[in-house]
Amino acid sequence: MDKRGKLRVALVGLRFGGAFVPIYLHHPDVEYVGLVDPDRAALEDLGGKFGVERRHSDLREVIRSRDYDAVHLVTPIPLHAEQSVAVLKSGKHCACTVPMATGLADLRAIIAAQRKSGRNYMMMETAVYTRQFLYVRELAAAGRLGRIQLLRGAHYQDMENWPPYWTGLPPMHYATHAVAPGLAIADTHATAVHCFGSGVMRPELHGQYGNPYPAETAIFELASGNLAMEVTRSLFQTARGYTESFCIYGEKLAVEWPQVEEEDALVVFSMGAAAEAGRRGRPVTTERVSAPDRQDLLPPAIARFTVRGKYDDSNPQKTFEAGGGHHGSHPHLVHEFVRSIVEERKPWIDERRAAWWTAAGICAHQSAMKRGARVLVPAFD
Ligand SMILES: NC(=O)c1ccc[n+]([C@@H]2O[C@H](COP(=O)([O-])OP(=O)(O)OC[C@H]3O[C@@H](n4cnc5c(N)ncnc54)[C@H](O)[C@@H]3O)[C@@H](O)[C@H]2O)c1
């Protein structure tokens, strides 16, 4: 940190990662931002667009450098574990996009590196900073859901023609968007899982990961006793439009993500008063609720990035659109990572919570490969 307690941040991997450049640049606790990508065209393009002079084509330059306090990794999945460990070992704080890793040993290696370094690790899970999640979390905190009875998550996305590391990826190795919201609302973690692989995938997609399944569906046992969570994921050859969704069923209120992603409004069911004599079942009313945008939780300088808008109105020739990704979650993620460092506390999605959310999917795939056998999910105490 510089003398004024401001952070010097390196952002690594500029494709999806590019969405975070203006947010860090405008965060009041950030001194400066450096960009890292071996793709020089991406580096020059984003560096030029946002006027960022510090540009590196190799992460090792940043790791060796004393000019950075924190590194945010938005790189391909197979690099997350190795790069997170290297960043932490270099004495820098580390944020990493999902998933934390794709193997249990790698989760443990990141936790060990975090503990040894004493620096912050945060997994940048967009699904728990969407405006919909923030709304449901407030309903839960105010007791409006009543006792939570069932959790459900689903993430459908077609990964045909995505970069090669996606080819045949076990669906549950990228499950955190569907796993995390339910676990976070119920404030619990998975202890065991039964999962089934489903469907038939083209043989050429099996090779890289030895995974034969285009879709996987799991039921998790949770630490909080009588609660279970269903999670379904598909990645290939399944005709379902993209969604990253969660549903929470309480005794008083239930909230479902809309069936069609573009519809936006949550479906909220309210349980009526005690059943009238002679009437079977209680009345349940249904309303559609657009979750409010929570710019009030953010510093004014970055609040506008919860929605898509013009970047740098001061120069109409160079104006372009930025912000609004993943239902407004990006600035909330950056703010939590940055403030956790400034306030010398753990981020909410610290290494342990990140490992719980990620291990749930890793263990689910193990179960699928054993035809649904019960697999214990480690506790990461
Ligand atoms: N909602 C979310 O949280 C969300 C959404 C999209 C992607 N992601 C995650 O973000 C990551 C990146 O996604 P993407 O679609 O941009 O991937 P991508 O593979 O299209 O792009 C990765 C970028 O990283 C760069 N890169 C590759 N190797 C690198 C290295 N060794 N050091 C530095 N940079 C390197 C590439 O040049 C490229 O610019 C993935 O891990 C994905 O899982 C998360």
Side-chain angles (χ1 to χ4, degrees), residues 6 20 38 42 50 73 78 104 112 126 130 142 163 167 173 195 200 211 227 230 316 338 341 346-347 353 357 363 373:
K6 290 194 171 202
F20 294 88
F50 290 103
L73 301 167
L104 296 178
T126 47
T130 61
T167 304
H173 279 191
C195 180
V200 175
N211 163 51
L227 207 50
E230 289 176 31
V338 167
I341 299 167
K346 285 204 174 253
R353 187 166 271 117
W357 292 352
C363 294

CSV table of all heavy atoms in Angstrom, one decimal, residues 6 20 38 42 50 73 78 104 112 126 130 142 163 167 173 195 200 211 227 230 316 338 341 346-347 353 357 363 373:
chain,number,residue,atom,x,y,z
A,6,LYS,N,-3.5,3.4,0.2
A,6,LYS,CA,-4.3,3.0,-1.0
A,6,LYS,C,-3.6,1.8,-1.7
A,6,LYS,O,-2.4,1.7,-1.6
A,6,LYS,CB,-4.3,4.2,-2.0
A,6,LYS,CG,-5.2,5.3,-1.5
A,6,LYS,CD,-5.5,6.2,-2.7
A,6,LYS,CE,-6.6,7.2,-2.3
A,6,LYS,NZ,-7.3,7.7,-3.5
A,20,PHE,N,-13.5,-5.5,-15.1
A,20,PHE,CA,-13.2,-5.0,-13.8
A,20,PHE,C,-12.2,-3.8,-13.9
A,20,PHE,O,-12.0,-3.1,-12.8
A,20,PHE,CB,-12.6,-6.1,-13.0
A,20,PHE,CG,-13.6,-7.2,-12.6
A,20,PHE,CD1,-13.7,-8.3,-13.5
A,20,PHE,CD2,-14.3,-7.1,-11.5
A,20,PHE,CE1,-14.7,-9.2,-13.2
A,20,PHE,CE2,-15.3,-8.1,-11.2
A,20,PHE,CZ,-15.4,-9.2,-12.1
A,38,PRO,N,-0.8,-12.2,-21.6
A,38,PRO,CA,0.2,-12.6,-22.6
A,38,PRO,C,-0.3,-12.2,-24.0
A,38,PRO,O,0.5,-12.1,-24.9
A,38,PRO,CB,0.3,-14.1,-22.5
A,38,PRO,CG,-0.9,-14.6,-21.7
A,38,PRO,CD,-1.4,-13.4,-20.9
A,42,ALA,N,-4.8,-7.6,-26.6
A,42,ALA,CA,-5.7,-7.3,-25.5
A,42,ALA,C,-5.2,-6.3,-24.5
A,42,ALA,O,-5.9,-5.4,-24.1
A,42,ALA,CB,-6.1,-8.6,-24.8
A,50,PHE,N,-8.6,2.6,-21.5
A,50,PHE,CA,-8.7,3.1,-20.1
A,50,PHE,C,-7.5,4.0,-19.7
A,50,PHE,O,-7.5,4.4,-18.5
A,50,PHE,CB,-8.9,2.0,-19.1
A,50,PHE,CG,-10.2,1.3,-19.2
A,50,PHE,CD1,-10.4,0.1,-19.9
A,50,PHE,CD2,-11.4,1.9,-18.7
A,50,PHE,CE1,-11.6,-0.6,-20.0
A,50,PHE,CE2,-12.6,1.3,-18.9
A,50,PHE,CZ,-12.7,0.0,-19.5
A,73,LEU,N,-7.0,-12.4,-10.3
A,73,LEU,CA,-6.8,-13.3,-11.4
A,73,LEU,C,-8.2,-13.6,-12.1
A,73,LEU,O,-9.2,-14.0,-11.5
A,73,LEU,CB,-6.3,-14.7,-10.9
A,73,LEU,CG,-5.0,-14.6,-10.1
A,73,LEU,CD1,-4.7,-15.9,-9.4
A,73,LEU,CD2,-3.8,-14.3,-11.1
A,78,PRO,N,-7.7,-23.8,-15.6
A,78,PRO,CA,-6.6,-24.7,-15.1
A,78,PRO,C,-5.4,-23.9,-14.5
A,78,PRO,O,-4.6,-24.5,-13.8
A,78,PRO,CB,-6.1,-25.4,-16.4
A,78,PRO,CG,-7.2,-25.2,-17.4
A,78,PRO,CD,-7.9,-23.9,-17.0
A,104,LEU,N,-9.4,-31.3,-5.0
A,104,LEU,CA,-9.4,-31.0,-3.5
A,104,LEU,C,-8.0,-30.6,-3.0
A,104,LEU,O,-7.8,-29.8,-2.2
A,104,LEU,CB,-9.9,-32.2,-2.7
A,104,LEU,CG,-11.4,-32.6,-3.0
A,104,LEU,CD1,-11.8,-33.8,-2.2
A,104,LEU,CD2,-12.3,-31.4,-2.6
A,112,ALA,N,-3.5,-23.4,2.5
A,112,ALA,CA,-2.2,-23.4,3.2
A,112,ALA,C,-1.3,-22.2,2.8
A,112,ALA,O,-0.7,-21.5,3.7
A,112,ALA,CB,-1.4,-24.7,2.8
A,126,THR,N,-19.6,-14.1,-8.5
A,126,THR,CA,-20.6,-13.1,-8.9
A,126,THR,C,-22.0,-13.4,-8.4
A,126,THR,O,-22.8,-12.5,-8.1
A,126,THR,CB,-20.7,-13.0,-10.5
A,126,THR,OG1,-20.8,-14.3,-11.0
A,126,THR,CG2,-19.5,-12.3,-11.0
A,130,THR,N,-25.3,-10.5,-6.9
A,130,THR,CA,-26.3,-10.0,-7.9
A,130,THR,C,-27.3,-9.2,-7.1
A,130,THR,O,-27.5,-9.5,-5.8
A,130,THR,CB,-27.0,-11.2,-8.6
A,130,THR,OG1,-27.7,-12.0,-7.6
A,130,THR,CG2,-26.0,-12.0,-9.4
A,142,ALA,N,-34.3,-10.6,7.6
A,142,ALA,CA,-35.4,-10.0,8.3
A,142,ALA,C,-36.4,-11.0,8.8
A,142,ALA,O,-37.5,-10.7,9.3
A,142,ALA,CB,-36.1,-9.0,7.4
A,163,PRO,N,-13.0,-21.6,-25.2
A,163,PRO,CA,-11.6,-22.0,-25.3
A,163,PRO,C,-11.4,-23.5,-24.9
A,163,PRO,O,-12.2,-24.0,-24.1
A,163,PRO,CB,-10.9,-21.1,-24.3
A,163,PRO,CG,-11.8,-19.8,-24.3
A,163,PRO,CD,-13.2,-20.4,-24.5
A,167,THR,N,-13.5,-27.8,-23.0
A,167,THR,CA,-14.0,-29.0,-23.8
A,167,THR,C,-14.2,-30.2,-22.9
A,167,THR,O,-13.2,-30.8,-22.4
A,167,THR,CB,-13.0,-29.3,-24.9
A,167,THR,OG1,-12.8,-28.2,-25.7
A,167,THR,CG2,-13.5,-30.5,-25.8
A,173,HIS,N,-17.6,-29.3,-12.0
A,173,HIS,CA,-16.4,-28.6,-11.7
A,173,HIS,C,-16.6,-27.1,-11.9
A,173,HIS,O,-15.7,-26.3,-11.5
A,173,HIS,CB,-15.2,-29.1,-12.6
A,173,HIS,CG,-14.6,-30.3,-12.1
A,173,HIS,ND1,-13.5,-30.9,-12.6
A,173,HIS,CD2,-15.0,-31.2,-11.1
A,173,HIS,CE1,-13.2,-32.0,-12.0
A,173,HIS,NE2,-14.1,-32.2,-11.1
A,195,CYS,N,-24.7,-37.6,-6.6
A,195,CYS,CA,-24.8,-36.9,-7.8
A,195,CYS,C,-24.9,-37.9,-9.0
A,195,CYS,O,-24.2,-39.0,-8.9
A,195,CYS,CB,-23.7,-36.0,-8.1
A,195,CYS,SG,-23.7,-35.0,-9.6
A,200,VAL,N,-25.9,-38.0,-22.9
A,200,VAL,CA,-24.9,-38.6,-23.7
A,200,VAL,C,-24.1,-37.5,-24.4
A,200,VAL,O,-24.8,-36.6,-25.0
A,200,VAL,CB,-25.5,-39.6,-24.7
A,200,VAL,CG1,-24.4,-40.1,-25.7
A,200,VAL,CG2,-26.2,-40.8,-24.0
A,211,ASN,N,-14.6,-37.2,-18.7
A,211,ASN,CA,-16.0,-37.0,-18.2
A,211,ASN,C,-17.0,-37.3,-19.4
A,211,ASN,O,-16.9,-36.7,-20.4
A,211,ASN,CB,-16.2,-35.5,-17.8
A,211,ASN,CG,-17.7,-35.2,-17.7
A,211,ASN,OD1,-18.5,-35.9,-17.1
A,211,ASN,ND2,-18.1,-34.1,-18.4
A,227,LEU,N,-31.8,-29.8,6.2
A,227,LEU,CA,-31.9,-29.2,4.9
A,227,LEU,C,-31.2,-29.9,3.8
A,227,LEU,O,-30.1,-30.4,4.1
A,227,LEU,CB,-31.4,-27.8,5.1
A,227,LEU,CG,-31.8,-26.6,4.3
A,227,LEU,CD1,-33.4,-26.5,4.2
A,227,LEU,CD2,-31.3,-25.3,4.8
A,230,GLU,N,-30.7,-29.1,-4.0
A,230,GLU,CA,-30.6,-29.7,-5.3
A,230,GLU,C,-29.8,-28.8,-6.2
A,230,GLU,O,-30.1,-27.6,-6.2
A,230,GLU,CB,-31.9,-29.8,-6.0
A,230,GLU,CG,-32.9,-30.8,-5.5
A,230,GLU,CD,-34.2,-30.6,-6.3
A,230,GLU,OE1,-34.2,-30.2,-7.5
A,230,GLU,OE2,-35.3,-30.8,-5.7
A,316,PRO,N,-16.5,12.5,-25.6
A,316,PRO,CA,-17.5,11.8,-26.4
A,316,PRO,C,-16.9,10.9,-27.5
A,316,PRO,O,-17.4,9.9,-27.9
A,316,PRO,CB,-18.4,12.9,-27.0
A,316,PRO,CG,-18.1,14.1,-26.2
A,316,PRO,CD,-16.7,13.9,-25.6
A,338,VAL,N,-11.3,-5.1,-1.9
A,338,VAL,CA,-10.5,-3.9,-1.6
A,338,VAL,C,-10.6,-3.5,-0.1
A,338,VAL,O,-9.7,-3.3,0.7
A,338,VAL,CB,-10.8,-2.7,-2.5
A,338,VAL,CG1,-10.2,-1.4,-2.0
A,338,VAL,CG2,-10.3,-3.0,-3.9
A,341,ILE,N,-9.0,-5.7,2.6
A,341,ILE,CA,-7.6,-5.4,2.7
A,341,ILE,C,-7.3,-4.2,3.5
A,341,ILE,O,-6.5,-4.1,4.5
A,341,ILE,CB,-6.9,-5.4,1.3
A,341,ILE,CG1,-7.1,-6.7,0.6
A,341,ILE,CG2,-5.4,-5.0,1.5
A,341,ILE,CD1,-6.7,-6.6,-0.9
A,346,LYS,N,-10.8,-10.4,7.0
A,346,LYS,CA,-11.0,-11.4,6.0
A,346,LYS,C,-12.2,-10.9,5.0
A,346,LYS,O,-13.1,-10.3,5.5
A,346,LYS,CB,-11.4,-12.8,6.6
A,346,LYS,CG,-10.2,-13.5,7.2
A,346,LYS,CD,-10.5,-15.0,7.2
A,346,LYS,CE,-9.2,-15.7,7.7
A,346,LYS,NZ,-8.5,-16.4,6.6
A,347,PRO,N,-12.1,-11.2,3.8
A,347,PRO,CA,-13.2,-11.0,2.9
A,347,PRO,C,-14.3,-12.0,3.2
A,347,PRO,O,-14.1,-13.0,3.8
A,347,PRO,CB,-12.7,-11.2,1.5
A,347,PRO,CG,-11.5,-12.1,1.7
A,347,PRO,CD,-11.0,-11.9,3.1
A,353,ARG,N,-14.6,-20.4,2.9
A,353,ARG,CA,-15.9,-20.4,2.3
A,353,ARG,C,-15.8,-20.7,0.8
A,353,ARG,O,-16.6,-21.5,0.3
A,353,ARG,CB,-16.6,-19.0,2.5
A,353,ARG,CG,-18.0,-19.0,2.0
A,353,ARG,CD,-18.7,-17.7,2.5
A,353,ARG,NE,-19.4,-17.9,3.8
A,353,ARG,CZ,-19.1,-17.3,4.9
A,353,ARG,NH1,-18.1,-16.4,4.9
A,353,ARG,NH2,-19.7,-17.5,6.0
A,357,TRP,N,-17.6,-24.0,-1.1
A,357,TRP,CA,-18.5,-23.8,-2.3
A,357,TRP,C,-17.9,-24.6,-3.5
A,357,TRP,O,-18.6,-25.2,-4.3
A,357,TRP,CB,-18.6,-22.4,-2.7
A,357,TRP,CG,-19.4,-21.6,-1.7
A,357,TRP,CD1,-20.1,-22.0,-0.6
A,357,TRP,CD2,-19.6,-20.1,-1.6
A,357,TRP,NE1,-20.7,-21.0,0.1
A,357,TRP,CE2,-20.4,-19.8,-0.5
A,357,TRP,CE3,-19.2,-19.1,-2.5
A,357,TRP,CZ2,-20.8,-18.5,-0.2
A,357,TRP,CZ3,-19.5,-17.8,-2.1
A,357,TRP,CH2,-20.4,-17.5,-1.0
A,363,CYS,N,-16.8,-32.8,-5.3
A,363,CYS,CA,-17.2,-34.0,-4.8
A,363,CYS,C,-18.5,-34.6,-5.5
A,363,CYS,O,-18.6,-35.8,-5.6
A,363,CYS,CB,-17.5,-33.9,-3.3
A,363,CYS,SG,-16.0,-33.5,-2.3
A,373,ALA,N,-22.9,-42.7,-5.8
A,373,ALA,CA,-22.5,-43.1,-4.4
A,373,ALA,C,-22.4,-41.9,-3.5
A,373,ALA,O,-22.0,-40.8,-4.0
A,373,ALA,CB,-21.2,-43.9,-4.5
